[in-house]
Amino acid sequence: MSRIHFIPHVHWDREWLRSTDSSRIKLVYFFDRLIDMLENDPKMYYFTFDGQTAALEDYLAIQPFQKETIKKLVKERRLFIGPWYVQPDMIIPSGEALVRNLLIGSQYASSLGHCMNVGWVPDAFGQNKITPYLFKELGMKGIYAWRGFDYEVLKDSLFMWKGNGNVKLPTVHFALGYGHYRGFPEEYENVKADMQDFIPKLEARFQDQEVLFMLGSDYAFPRKHSSLMIEKLKQEGYDCQMNNPEDYLETLLSAAKHNHHVLEEYQGEARSATLGRIHAGITSTRIDIKNAMRYYETLMAKVVEPMIAISRFQGGHCHQELVNYFWKIIFKNQFHDSIYSSSPESINQTVENRLLNLRHGLNELIWMNFRYLAESANLSSVQKDEDILVLFNTLPYQRQDYAFVSMIVKHKDFVLKRQDGTIVPYQMMNEVIATCHDIEYYNGMENFHDSGEVLEGTKYKIQIKIDASILPAMGYEILKVCFHQQNSQEMIGDVQILENGAENQYLKMFIQKDGTISVENKKTKEDYHHLNAFVEKGDDGDEYNYSPCGNDKEISIYHNQPTITCIESSDIEVKYRIEYNAKVPAKVVNHERVQELEALKIISDVSLKARSQTIDFTTTIENHSCDHIVRVTFDDLYQSEENCSQDQFGTIIRKNIIENQKSLEDGATEYVLPMYAMQRFVQLHHQKSIMALISKGPLEYEIENNQKICLTLLRSVGKFGKADLLIRPGRASGYRMDAPSSQLLNKNITSEYSLFFGIQADMSKMIQDAEMLNTPVQTRYLNDISRQKNQGLDWQYSAISLDTRVELMALKKAEHGQYSVIRIVNNRDNDVENVRFHVPLTKKCYLSDVQEKKKIELENKNGEIIIKNIMSNTFVTVIIE
């Protein structure tokens, strides 16, 4: 007879059907009952709280007097918490966001006595291939997961999951789902009937006969009679026990070893909908929120923390607890239902409110570094009629792009000079670009004092570009703004304007009459056509799934004659504006689009810059219709059955179509469409020249006809949940509720993306261009300055420079102590040996784990640190003392 293991648990959605505070009310009563059971029922041995800690913070904010009781239960390993801060979506967040979610969550759990040492992923909509590596780096001993796997691929619910860097972790698949046994019935005869029903099903999935009953589900209160029912089952001869994820995994592995059971190996992501829906298409729901979240998580990891690190290297200070406060806001928005926007209206509004908190908070964290320099740099040489301009490069190498500067000044005539008097050329921009008017509005960018008082005589809003290659790696430079001097030196670029086109040393582009772009890759003499073509079609889905409409035809927006205008023309940049005015069906009724039409306006700015291998796009969609999807498409020269896109720690190769998919007729829960998510780029997987799509925001793509890259720019739906979709028959996911804000009706949705053209050997250059696109130079014009020696800081400083074969994931203050931490990722498909980076001479460096524990001291040769090897698609963490 099999041995039965009952794991009492709960899956706690902080916000999904109800808001965080609504859930918190239920949470208080939940924990009150759980604590009572664990303290007063001697047979209630264990409870697992969903692998996360944020909800525990929610509870203790209301019941702080229970903290010592919680610590006692956690330390005794009766209440299992962590390693996550929140249960995130595994596909959308960046690699650093996932790492920090685990780091902050696991350290909080450890501070309460113990962090559960297995990864817990019960309800992610599909599984990411990086998951084993991610948990292994944290020190986890195994994984529990559900959606995305199926019985055809996994013959047993215990298997080895192989991830990046050849890491393998034992993994338990929830054979019947994480909530298949929500709770014991109160009548014992019903319990026995359940055993007869479930045990044979589970025995088929656990060949070593150690079967798992998941005693709990979403918001499920612990059953007070659980221990009593287990005792009754024992009395009737059942071999059963209450267990926890750590001990159960050890039991499974011991049984497999005893039975000489060689565990099968699984590699890669898991996107099957045979057993549970994965909701393909959810990666573009409320794309306005997803674009904003991508911006803020990048801003935090690639701008805010590196700027703080640069200031700290120069004697500045910032509490890591303050930084982590804003990371936690990011994580709360990355909770799987929250970032998916698969929620009622009120929850999506809560997510938007957090975006506002991030906008204000991160801007202030950025500003404090400018303020520190203004107070600490030696500004004694700055004259009365001179101000300063500060520029931060937060990438660890020299840039090959341009810094954007916005200033409101008293005089139009000025010259920019370095400390030694060398003139720095700049290019005045024709078009005035809207800038952020939050914290900076009062702190210098818009020429206001800290007090918010307008400087008398302020007249001119000036926007310029500066060649960012003058800036040091991971550092800053201060320039003097010298008024009443004519700017006699302009930047020299290699862009030439053509009739409806432009060219530089790498690319020649033309805008066709239909608004699509043609490009010649001058390196390879190859021509690309039909790029940046907009298409639209109906969407009969809900917040969870895109689903086609009946009798629908795709509308080619480019068949509408666009207006084409040159809006920027210099040898630094040529930019065109392409405007389409189209009519599309107003909505979907009874699964089909109506005859009534509404306006759809698309404005796409197309730019070619000097020395650039990219063509850059900023596209705004003015949406006045419901129930539809708008995509931009790019035809490659070559065909390939596979695509290569960037995931959190490297690249992933995917088939353009879903192979061996179980049909709806055979019981699949959903027909999975080949709509994938990327981090920064996607390209067709061929060995010839590269055309790669780089995205600053939108992440959902599909490859059509093995040649066309399609990027989703807008998905407009009006239901939280909807039944009987073409690709998902039967019940609704979520509730059948209206979600009008997800229609994005009468809103403007702006997305930024680029096309990179090169050869296969340019892969490193393409990744760097993706980093530069997503991590612009931070600039501030400062007039409220002391003009004193202050602390005597230099006008130029470089904290760290990094080997360009690898990329920076993070540069941050250590969680404890005054050390700095740098995390370096190898995005490439080959190992990189002898990785070099430079630090100040006096610094000692150590390889460490994610938990920031030192392992090996690295040799420091006059400030040059060498890491012998970083494996393909992996990262390393280094402590800098």
Side-chain angles (χ1 to χ4, degrees):
M1 178 186 289
S2 296
R3 180 160 46 170
I4 306 167
H5 300 262
F6 293 98
I7 293 186
H9 81 106
V10 69
H11 176 51
W12 197 266
D13 292 310
R14 291 188 74 249
E15 53 192 26
W16 173 43
L17 300 177
R18 53 183 63 83
S19 69
T20 297
D21 281 333
S22 294
S23 297
R24 194 194 304 252
I25 295 169
K26 191 172 184 178
L27 182 71
V28 169
Y29 289 95
F30 175 95
F31 262 109
D32 284 350
R33 176 190 286 192
L34 177 60
I35 290 170
D36 178 68
M37 290 171 62
L38 289 172
E39 284 199 304
N40 298 310
D41 182 351
K43 300 292 186 180
M44 184 68 189
Y45 298 120
Y46 311 111
F47 192 87
T48 300
F49 190 82
D50 203 27
Q52 59 176 318
T53 59
L56 193 55
E57 279 189 342
D58 295 340
Y59 171 69
L60 291 176
I62 305 298
Q63 305 280 68
F65 61 88
Q66 292 281 31
K67 185 172 184 178
E68 291 306 312
T69 301
I70 293 285
K71 289 177 71 172
K72 177 176 179 292
L73 294 171
V74 170
K75 190 172 182 179
E76 292 173 350
R77 303 198 182 189
R78 298 184 62 208
L79 175 59
F80 286 80
I81 60 174
W84 294 109
Y85 181 70
V86 302
Q87 283 280 339
D89 165 48
M90 295 295 291
I91 307 298
I92 296 173
S94 70
E96 184 61 22
L98 291 176
V99 168
R100 300 294 275 281
N101 190 336
L102 285 168
L103 178 60
I104 290 173
S106 63
Q107 293 203 350
Y108 180 69
S110 296
S111 73
L112 293 176
H114 177 65
C115 175
M116 186 164 70
N117 64 24
V118 295
W120 195 255
V121 194
D123 203 24
F125 295 166
Q127 305 297 331
N128 195 318
K129 81 173 180 69
I130 60 96
T131 304
Y133 179 77
L134 176 66
F135 284 130
K136 182 73 171 181
E137 280 294 302
L138 194 77
M140 299 290 101
K141 295 183 178 180
I143 304 169
Y144 286 76
W146 178 41
R147 294 184 195 266
F149 296 112
D150 62 50
Y151 297 161
E152 284 72 21
V153 174
L154 298 176
K155 304 306 179 187
D156 191 80
S157 282
L158 175 66
F159 62 98
M160 296 300 293
W161 192 356
K162 184 177 179 181
N164 304 38
N166 295 319
V167 161
K168 298 177 185 178
L169 270 186
T171 302
V172 179
H173 176 235
F174 297 121
L176 303 179
Y178 66 84
H180 83 271
Y181 203 51
R182 188 178 181 90
F184 283 129
E186 295 193 14
E187 297 296 328
Y188 180 63
E189 292 304 315
N190 293 334
V191 173
K192 286 203 301 182
D194 286 346
M195 295 302 105
Q196 293 169 7
D197 180 25
F198 282 118
I199 289 175
K201 296 175 183 177
L202 291 168
E203 285 178 333
R205 301 303 307 157
F206 291 95
Q207 74 175 59
D208 296 306
Q209 305 302 285
E210 303 282 353
V211 303
L212 175 60
F213 273 71
M214 293 301 293
L215 189 56
S217 189
D218 296 13
Y219 298 120
F221 271 56
R223 308 288 280 183
K224 289 186 175 181
H225 57 280
S226 298
S227 60
L228 176 63
M229 290 300 167
I230 292 174
E231 290 304 309
K232 285 187 176 182
L233 286 170
K234 286 181 178 179
Q235 291 168 11
E236 289 219 0
Y238 286 91
D239 185 1
C240 59
Q241 66 184 75
M242 190 177 290
N243 214 331
N244 63 73
E246 292 182 350
D247 292 345
Y248 176 65
L249 178 62
E250 290 297 325
T251 297
L252 274 181
L253 294 173
S254 295
K257 183 177 181 180
H258 179 267
N259 296 330
H260 305 289
H261 170 195
V262 178
L263 303 185
E264 62 183 317
E265 189 175 289
Y266 184 93
Q267 185 171 6
E269 62 184 352
R271 288 173 49 87
S272 171
T274 299
L275 303 176
R277 297 170 174 179
I278 68 162
H279 303 302
I282 204 169
T283 40
S284 55
T285 303
R286 286 302 301 264
I287 198 165
D288 57 330
I289 288 175
K290 290 181 172 65
N291 283 356
M293 279 302 300
R294 176 144 298 201
Y295 170 77
Y296 288 121
E297 71 174 8
T298 301
L299 193 69
M300 176 61 95
K302 297 296 181 71
V303 174
V304 172
E305 288 194 304
M307 287 181 74
I308 291 171
I310 292 167
S311 296
R312 289 184 65 249
F313 279 128
Q314 290 284 80
H317 176 72
C318 180
H319 295 285
Q320 188 61 26
E321 293 80 5
L322 183 62
V323 175
N324 286 350
Y325 171 81
F326 289 101
W327 268 118
K328 287 180 177 182
I329 295 176
I330 290 174
F331 301 151
K332 288 171 182 175
N333 265 12
Q334 289 176 340
F335 184 77
H336 65 104
D337 294 305
S338 304
I339 191 60
Y340 289 142
S341 300
S342 54
S343 303
E345 288 285 279
S346 59
I347 311 308
N348 291 333
Q349 290 168 9
T350 300
V351 171
E352 289 181 292
N353 288 339
R354 290 198 196 101
L355 293 177
L356 184 61
N357 292 338
L358 289 171
R359 191 174 82 190
H360 286 282
L362 300 195
N363 282 334
E364 181 62 31
L365 285 173
I366 287 172
W367 169 247
M368 62 182 246
N369 294 284
F370 288 102
R371 184 183 300 134
Y372 175 73
L373 270 187
E375 294 171 351
S376 304
N378 183 354
L379 303 181
S380 58
S381 64
V382 180
Q383 302 302 308
K384 182 178 180 181
D385 205 23
E386 297 174 342
D387 295 327
I388 63 171
L389 176 64
V390 183
L391 303 96
F392 273 86
N393 170 27
T394 56
L395 294 178
Y397 41 73
Q398 188 181 43
R399 304 178 70 105
Q400 299 297 325
D401 62 346
Y402 295 93
F404 167 78
V405 180
S406 184
M407 308 185 289
I408 292 183
V409 295
K410 294 180 180 180
H411 308 285
K412 281 187 176 180
D413 295 330
F414 61 88
V415 172
L416 299 179
K417 294 181 180 179
R418 284 177 144 161
Q419 188 177 23
D420 63 3
T422 304
I423 293 177
V424 176
Y426 63 85
Q427 178 74 50
M428 195 76 70
M429 295 176 62
N430 296 330
E431 183 192 19
V432 175
I433 298 174
T435 55
C436 179
H437 291 279
D438 289 332
I439 304 304
E440 300 95 330
Y441 196 84
Y442 302 101
N443 287 329
M445 187 182 203
E446 299 289 3
N447 208 22
F448 282 63
H449 281 302
D450 286 345
S451 63
E453 182 179 344
V454 183
L455 285 181
E456 185 178 352
T458 294
K459 294 180 180 180
Y460 304 108
K461 183 162 189 173
I462 302 293
Q463 294 187 335
I464 62 175
K465 288 180 182 172
I466 301 173
D467 189 341
S469 65
I470 70 168
L471 300 178
M474 190 58 73
Y476 66 80
E477 174 135 15
I478 299 174
L479 303 178
K480 279 196 295 187
V481 183
C482 305
F483 291 106
H484 304 298
Q485 297 184 37
Q486 289 283 349
N487 179 36
S488 59
Q489 295 188 26
E490 289 196 351
M491 291 189 295
I492 299 174
D494 65 346
V495 182
Q496 297 180 5
I497 188 168
L498 308 173
E499 184 177 357
N500 273 358
E503 72 173 313
N504 64 14
Q505 61 184 300
Y506 298 110
L507 304 174
K508 181 184 290 187
M509 82 166 186
F510 290 99
I511 302 175
Q512 304 302 318
K513 290 182 179 180
D514 63 1
T516 63
I517 313 298
S518 297
V519 174
E520 177 191 343
N521 180 344
K522 294 168 77 171
K523 273 189 172 183
T524 64
K525 307 301 182 184
E526 294 171 315
D527 294 316
Y528 296 77
H529 300 284
H530 209 64
L531 307 174
N532 205 46
F534 299 99
V535 295
E536 187 267 4
K537 56 186 176 181
D539 189 341
D540 189 33
D542 54 17
E543 288 185 325
Y544 287 89
N545 282 83
Y546 160 76
S547 188
C549 302
N551 302 314
D552 190 30
K553 290 185 178 179
E554 186 173 82
I555 297 173
S556 299
I557 304 300
Y558 54 87
H559 286 167
N560 296 266
Q561 190 74 23
T563 300
I564 303 170
T565 309
C566 183
I567 60 173
E568 194 76 37
S569 176
S570 72
D571 55 3
I572 298 303
E573 178 181 14
V574 173
K575 182 189 291 186
Y576 290 90
R577 178 161 292 165
I578 305 167
E579 295 189 33
Y580 293 96
N581 287 286
K583 295 282 190 178
V584 298
K587 57 186 174 181
V588 171
V589 176
N590 295 328
H591 305 298
E592 294 191 1
R593 304 186 84 181
V594 300
Q595 295 298 312
E596 176 191 354
L597 300 178
E598 291 286 354
L600 175 68
K601 186 172 186 177
I602 299 177
I603 303 171
S604 190
D605 290 352
V606 184
S607 168
L608 179 64
K609 297 183 179 68
R611 307 189 311 274
S612 176
Q613 289 180 240
T614 69
I615 294 174
D616 304 318
F617 302 88
T618 299
T619 296
T620 299
I621 299 173
E622 296 182 9
N623 182 48
H624 302 289
S625 294
C626 300
D627 312 318
H628 67 139
I629 186 170
V630 179
R631 304 200 294 182
V632 60
T633 69
F634 308 88
D635 287 356
D636 205 324
L637 274 179
Y638 303 101
Q639 287 193 335
S640 173
E641 294 181 353
E642 296 177 327
N643 64 82
C644 172
S645 66
Q646 187 184 41
D647 65 10
Q648 285 88 347
F649 304 136
T651 55
I652 181 170
I653 308 301
R654 292 167 165 144
K655 293 287 187 181
N656 298 334
I657 61 173
I658 309 293
E659 296 180 335
N660 303 318
Q661 177 169 188
K662 190 173 183 179
S663 69
L664 297 173
E665 293 76 15
D666 291 333
T669 63
E670 168 191 348
Y671 182 81
V672 180
L673 298 169
M675 302 171 83
Y676 298 110
M678 64 171 164
Q679 284 292 309
R680 295 293 186 218
F681 64 81
V682 60
Q683 65 179 68
L684 290 186
H685 185 53
H686 52 66
Q687 298 305 313
K688 300 183 181 180
S689 55
I690 296 176
M691 182 191 80
L693 174 63
I694 300 172
S695 177
K696 191 172 181 178
L699 54 88
E700 181 182 281
Y701 73 91
E702 183 177 1
I703 309 297
E704 290 185 348
N705 303 320
N706 292 331
Q707 195 164 16
K708 179 181 292 185
I709 302 174
C710 306
L711 182 70
T712 305
L713 299 183
L714 171 77
R715 197 166 84 82
S716 169
V717 292
K719 294 289 185 181
F720 170 29
K722 194 173 182 180
D724 298 321
L725 304 183
L726 184 63
I727 58 98
R728 202 194 68 210
R731 68 172 179 84
S733 292
Y735 285 176
R736 299 190 204 183
M737 297 170 58
D738 289 337
S741 70
S742 290
Q743 294 283 16
L744 299 175
L745 195 60
N746 301 320
K747 288 192 173 183
N748 294 349
I749 305 301
T750 298
S751 299
E752 295 181 59
Y753 49 92
S754 298
L755 282 179
F756 178 91
F757 297 89
I759 57 177
Q760 277 306 120
D762 290 336
M763 189 74 171
S764 291
K765 178 66 169 62
M766 186 265 285
I767 293 172
Q768 280 190 27
D769 280 9
E771 287 294 297
M772 285 188 286
L773 174 70
N774 283 274
T775 316
V777 173
Q778 297 296 308
T779 67
R780 296 298 186 277
Y781 162 61
L782 303 175
N783 50 60
D784 187 15
I785 55 177
S786 67
R787 294 174 174 81
Q788 302 294 322
K789 185 176 181 180
N790 301 314
Q791 303 302 315
L793 293 188
D794 292 336
W795 284 37
Q796 187 185 76
Y797 177 74
S798 175
I800 286 173
S801 62
L802 179 63
D803 195 319
T804 56
R805 296 174 298 167
V806 292
E807 295 297 330
L808 179 80
M809 272 182 69
L811 177 61
K812 61 180 286 283
K813 180 184 176 298
E815 296 299 307
H816 305 287
Q818 295 304 311
Y819 306 145
S820 295
V821 174
I822 183 171
R823 202 164 358 263
I824 302 167
V825 63
N826 174 13
N827 277 299
R828 288 139 189 84
D829 287 329
N830 54 282
D831 295 358
V832 178
E833 297 182 348
N834 297 319
V835 175
R836 290 172 165 80
F837 68 97
H838 292 264
V839 297
L841 293 178
T842 58
K843 306 295 183 182
K844 287 188 176 182
C845 295
Y846 301 83
L847 277 178
S848 77
D849 57 20
V850 169
Q851 297 283 6
E852 300 177 3
K853 296 175 182 175
K854 299 175 185 176
K855 295 193 295 187
I856 302 170
E857 184 174 355
L858 296 169
E859 188 175 359
N860 185 338
K861 292 184 177 180
N862 297 319
E864 183 179 76
I865 311 298
I866 298 177
I867 302 172
K868 291 183 179 179
N869 183 64
I870 304 179
M871 293 183 67
S872 166
N873 296 323
T874 67
F875 63 81
V876 296
T877 302
V878 176
I879 288 176
I880 304 171
E881 285 194 345

